[in-house]
Amino acid sequence: MPARMQEFLTAFEAKKAKLKSIEENRQKLMLRQKDREGELASKEEGIKKSQSQLGQLKTNKDYQVKMTEIEGFKADKSIFEEEILKLMDDNEAAKRDADIEKKNLESEEKSFDEKKSALASRLKEIEGLLSDLEGKRKMLADSVDKKILERYEHILHGKDGLAMVMVKDNSCHGCFLKVPHQVINEIKMHERLITCEICARILYLEEDLVS
Ligand SMILES: [Zn+2]
């Protein structure tokens, strides 16, 4: 369960990181736009200044030079204007992406919270069940012969937590291989613990179960 929570959290964090990068990119676009707007204003200022100087010029040559200068400012201005328009478009697109991601993240967060609380309550349920079973196991273990219990636990640890298996339709339900009749007869005698010759688990018959 903690692993599943981690999975949800990882997916959630990835979405968060995506939104962050979109927003950072948008911030950069805005700064660039601001910078270009400053440049544009300075070109406009240059045009105004040059135009106001036109009247004071004495020669035709000076006039031509000033006009060329003004044309240059105007050309720069139009480049900045174009760039600003593009930046505005990019910024708009980034804003749309950010809004979509924000919405995704909100719904992800909601579903994450729901899953988290569902898992937490399931975990609590399982922990309760486990502690009941542990109590019950302890009570039962106390009443089992110490040597038999030791043997049982030894098999339990060596066999993936399955130490006792039923013999059904003449086969061991641990390894699913055939149990000889002679072995089944030995189980029926209830004289000692009988283990599977193949998987070494303790064998019992269905009729041995007490409710
Ligand atoms: Zn077996």
Side-chain angles (χ1 to χ4, degrees):
M1 290 207 152
R4 287 187 65 195
M5 299 267 269
Q6 194 53 50
E7 247 173 60
F8 293 142
L9 199 63
T10 306
F12 185 61
E13 290 299 328
K15 285 215 169 76
K16 243 179 167 172
K18 191 174 173 193
L19 177 62
K20 197 173 169 235
S21 105
I22 290 173
E23 278 175 341
E24 277 168 2
N25 185 39
R26 207 180 148 217
Q27 199 62 33
K28 273 186 207 153
L29 288 170
M30 277 160 77
L31 284 174
R32 192 166 171 82
Q33 187 180 329
K34 217 175 166 188
D35 174 67
R36 290 303 180 261
E37 280 166 354
E39 297 272 12
L40 181 66
S42 100
K43 296 299 166 194
E44 280 170 341
E45 202 54 45
I47 293 169
K48 252 191 228 161
K49 201 176 154 203
S50 297
Q51 275 171 342
S52 73
Q53 289 164 348
L54 280 176
Q56 301 150 22
L57 298 172
K58 306 259 184 303
T59 67
N60 194 33
K61 198 184 163 215
D62 286 347
Y63 187 82
Q64 282 309 323
V65 169
K66 197 46 83 180
M67 282 307 282
T68 309
E69 190 182 275
I70 292 174
E71 287 312 312
F73 282 144
K74 280 185 179 169
D76 289 347
K77 187 186 155 196
S78 107
I79 289 169
F80 287 129
E81 278 171 344
E82 222 169 276
E83 198 182 345
I84 288 167
L85 284 177
K86 178 153 190 332
L87 284 166
M88 283 167 84
D89 278 353
D90 291 350
N91 207 344
E92 198 58 40
K95 190 182 179 304
R96 271 199 304 272
D97 286 350
D99 286 347
I100 291 169
E101 282 307 314
K102 250 181 224 161
K103 250 192 191 145
N104 276 347
L105 203 63
E106 269 166 27
S107 80
E108 190 79 8
E109 190 164 24
K110 199 170 162 253
S111 109
F112 175 68
D113 285 345
E114 281 167 6
K115 280 171 183 162
K116 202 165 97 176
S117 72
L119 279 177
S121 73
R122 180 82 185 112
L123 193 61
K124 215 174 161 189
E125 212 177 284
I126 289 172
E127 277 167 356
L129 207 64
L130 195 61
S131 115
D132 277 358
L133 287 171
E134 274 165 356
K136 222 169 165 181
R137 185 190 195 277
K138 197 183 174 310
M139 223 174 68
L140 290 170
D142 285 347
S143 67
V144 175
D145 178 272
K146 238 182 147 91
K147 274 200 174 130
I148 291 178
L149 187 65
E150 258 171 35
R151 200 169 155 203
Y152 165 81
E153 294 203 318
H154 181 75
I155 300 171
L156 191 71
H157 291 128
K159 294 284 170 186
D160 295 332
L162 184 64
M164 283 182 71
V165 289
M166 196 192 284
V167 176
K168 216 173 169 187
D169 302 324
N170 296 328
S171 64
C172 161
H173 272 228
C175 63
F176 296 95
L177 293 171
K178 218 163 163 51
V179 178
H181 276 293
Q182 184 210 329
V183 174
I184 294 176
N185 284 334
E186 276 187 277
I187 302 171
K188 282 183 180 164
M189 286 163 77
H190 294 146
E191 280 180 352
R192 58 187 183 88
L193 285 183
I194 307 297
T195 54
C196 171
E197 291 170 335
I198 313 295
C199 72
R201 292 185 174 98
I202 300 165
L203 299 174
Y204 64 91
L205 300 172
E206 194 166 13
E207 63 202 50
D208 292 331
L209 288 176
V210 282
S211 50

